[in-house]
Structure formats: C-alpha cells, structure tokens
Amino acid sequence: MTTPFEELAGLDRLIHEPARLAILTALASCDTADYLFLQHLTGLTGGNLSSHLSKLEEGGLVQLDKRFVEKKPNTQVQITEEGKRAILQHWKHLDDLHESSKTWKP
Amino acid sequence: MKNLKEIRFIATNFYNLQGLRMVIIGILLIVVCLWANGLKYPISIKSDLILLFEVVTMLTVYYAVDRYYLRTFGRVKPTPEIQRFEINLSIIGGILGLIAFWLDVTYKMPFSLIGLVCGIGLFVDYVRFTWMVKGRRLLYYPIGAALIIGVSLLPLLGLPGWWHVVGIKGQIFAISMLLGVFSIVAGIVGHLFLTRTLSPKVEEK
C-alpha cells in the first residue's frame, strides 16, 4: 500500500515539468514539429526551449533532426516510441490520481 | 502555458487552422461565380483574360499566405494516420462533389445536390475537428452546414428560382457563393484563433 505522497512522488519529473509536458503533448499529437512552432506554443525563449529539448532528448523521449531548409537552420523534433509510451503513462497516472482524490474517504 | 487540450487541438489541426487559405479559396469561389454569372455569349477573349488574371492573382496570394504561415508559426507534420484520413476524406468528398455537380447540371432537380453534399461535408469536417476537443468556437461549422443544406432545399420547400431574386442566374452559382462566404468566415475565425493562441509572446529573459 503506497502513501498519497508516494503516489504523487511517482510522477516522472522529466515529463511533469509544465514546459516539457506541453512539448510532449504537442509532439504526441503530430508526426514532427519544428523549433519555431514549439517556441510559439510554449512561449519559451530560444535558450530555455533548447534546454528542455536537450533534457527530453537525453531521456530518450524525443529526437532532434537539425538541418537546413532554404539555407536557414531548421530543427525538427519528433517524439520517440518511448516518449509516446511515457506521456500516455503520465496521463494515466494523472487521471488515476484525479480519480482517487474524488473517491477517497477518511 | 496553454491548456493541454488546446495544445493537442492546435498540434492536430495546425494546417486546418491556417484560415487565410480558406479566405482566399472563398474569395476565388465568389469571384469565379460572379464572373460566370455575368457571362454573355459569345464569350470574349477579354472576359477570359479577366478570369485568368483573377485566378493567377489568387494563386499568388495563396502562395504568399503559405509562406507567411511557414515563416511565422513554423511547421507541423501530421501523423501518418491523420494524413491518410485526410487524403481519403478529400478523395471521397471530391468524387461525391463531382457526381453531385454532374447530376445538378444534367437533371433538373427540386434541390441542389452539390449544396447537400457540401453541407454534409461541413458536418463531417465539424466532427473531424471536434474529435479531440469540443469548443463553442467551432459551432459556426454546424450552423453553416445547416444553412447550406437549408438553402439547397429551398426550391423543394416552395421557393423555386429564389436565386433570381438576388440577381444570380443559376442555383449552383448561388450555392457556390454561399460556400465562398462560409469559407471566408470560417477562415477568419480559424486564423484569429491560431494567431491569438500562438501569439508571439515569449517569456521574459
């Protein structure tokens, strides 16, 4: 039997950070998205977005494809299979926590 | 930080929300219908050149709009499942539209088949858009669809030749112009939604 705090602490912090959660949610709904789109979506500065993407890439949740499009640098970001599984698991975990908060009785 | 449902909606429908394209298609539809409505036989070369000029202008603007969205908001490639679904839907819609058009111009029916097909198509589009997210902002789709279906059935409901009252020669032109108006409205709403949601507000450094 886990304590309520243990259940909350079980949330994956790599995913649960708001910006990374937004990035993974967007990427799970499409095939690829580029850096510019993600920047508009999250409202993050370039540096912060790069930092979050690097962490997700290190965790094996996304893969980055840096290339040139019309002589301009363009970074395409794609969620990995592991990333898809992780975000689905995360959503399930959040839903379970939400449900358990409704049914709990002292 | 945006609502996560909204994020899913934008990422899934990113291309469809780029509404200025629909505005151009709507304007082109209206312009071509007005051109066809004002035609006098025999058709002069000047008249053909006017149509060519209008179409080329609209295609140029369409290309510019495409570039604008790409440079301002970036690229999102839909999932292969959504791509397949959209292609299949376009093929089925296109075939049904062509059959309806052929039947409309071949037989004299007390309703507009192309209008009915387009109205049902808009309902299908509404379901497709709202598959993941239900929002009041998309209610103009079923309202537009109901309006187009209603107008398509007007002759059957006792108003034959209603389009003559507004100076239009044929029912097909009237329905197409109505579709054009709907495209413009839907395009503006989609564009405003996209630009407001993806406003270039970047966090303070």
Side-chain angles (χ1 to χ4, degrees):
Chain A
M1 178 102 181
T2 53
T3 65
F5 179 73
E6 278 173 338
E7 280 184 32
L8 280 173
L11 285 170
D12 188 341
R13 289 177 193 211
L14 178 62
I15 301 174
H16 197 62
E17 197 283 330
R20 294 196 285 268
L21 185 60
I23 292 168
L24 285 176
T25 302
L27 292 175
S29 308
C30 61
D31 190 38
T32 59
D34 72 1
Y35 195 86
L36 183 60
F37 172 77
L38 293 174
Q39 199 173 4
H40 273 282
L41 191 75
T42 56
L44 294 170
T45 59
N48 272 345
L49 179 60
S50 286
S51 162
H52 285 302
L53 287 176
S54 297
K55 283 177 186 164
L56 291 171
E57 193 183 25
E58 281 165 22
L61 304 181
V62 300
Q63 58 188 42
L64 307 183
D65 178 18
K66 292 178 183 177
R67 55 187 169 178
F68 280 87
V69 177
E70 294 169 7
K71 295 179 183 171
K72 286 180 184 166
N74 181 269
T75 305
Q76 295 284 322
V77 189
Q78 186 172 32
I79 194 166
T80 60
E81 284 304 315
E82 193 185 337
K84 276 182 198 167
R85 268 195 303 275
I87 189 80
L88 286 175
Q89 182 65 35
H90 190 77
W91 282 119
K92 191 179 173 305
H93 201 152
L94 287 179
D95 285 342
D96 290 346
L97 282 171
H98 184 228
E99 282 305 310
S100 64
S101 72
K102 285 194 284 187
T103 54
W104 183 80
K105 284 182 185 136
Chain B
M1 188 58 60
K2 272 117 197 149
N3 180 316
L4 290 172
K5 258 187 171 182
E6 207 168 17
I7 289 175
R8 274 193 227 166
F9 180 67
I10 293 169
T12 309
N13 295 305
F14 183 60
Y15 192 81
N16 294 320
L17 287 169
Q18 297 178 0
L20 291 182
R21 289 197 186 91
M22 269 184 87
V23 172
I24 293 161
I25 290 169
I27 293 172
L28 185 62
L29 206 54
I30 293 172
V31 162
V32 170
C33 286
L34 285 174
W35 173 84
N37 194 55
L39 271 185
K40 283 175 188 154
Y41 292 93
I43 302 168
S44 64
I45 292 178
K46 187 184 162 194
S47 174
D48 283 345
L49 285 175
I50 289 172
L51 179 69
L52 185 69
F53 174 75
E54 288 167 351
V55 172
V56 169
T57 306
M58 287 300 163
L59 288 177
T60 310
V61 178
Y62 190 95
Y63 177 75
V65 163
D66 204 55
R67 304 294 300 167
Y68 156 73
Y69 280 123
L70 202 62
R71 288 183 179 188
T72 312
F73 298 110
R75 302 160 203 263
V76 174
K77 194 177 161 199
T79 59
E81 296 81 37
I82 290 177
Q83 273 181 329
R84 261 197 304 275
F85 180 73
E86 299 232 335
I87 289 170
N88 290 340
L89 204 65
S90 306
I91 291 171
I92 293 167
I95 291 170
L96 286 176
L98 280 175
I99 293 171
F101 177 77
W102 175 74
L103 288 171
D104 264 349
V105 295
T106 310
Y107 302 101
K108 198 177 176 184
M109 290 181 285
F111 52 82
S112 167
L113 204 54
I114 189 100
L116 293 178
V117 167
C118 290
I120 292 165
L122 285 180
F123 269 125
V124 172
D125 240 9
Y126 175 66
V127 174
R128 181 172 63 104
F129 271 144
T130 54
W131 192 263
M132 291 174 65
V133 181
K134 287 186 172 66
R136 280 185 63 200
R137 67 176 75 88
L138 290 174
L139 277 181
Y140 57 91
Y141 262 86
I143 292 170
L147 187 70
I148 289 167
I149 289 174
V151 170
S152 303
L153 294 172
L154 279 181
L156 193 67
L157 299 172
L159 281 172
W162 61 268
W163 49 90
H164 293 303
V165 179
V166 285
I168 299 170
K169 285 178 187 170
Q171 188 182 17
I172 200 156
F173 297 149
I175 296 286
S176 301
M177 285 165 82
L178 195 62
L179 271 172
V181 171
F182 175 80
S183 298
I184 293 171
V185 173
I188 290 171
V189 176
H191 175 76
L192 288 178
F193 173 70
L194 188 75
T195 49
R196 283 177 186 168
T197 323
L198 294 183
S199 59
K201 267 187 258 164
V202 173
E203 64 172 356
E204 285 181 25
K205 289 184 184 177

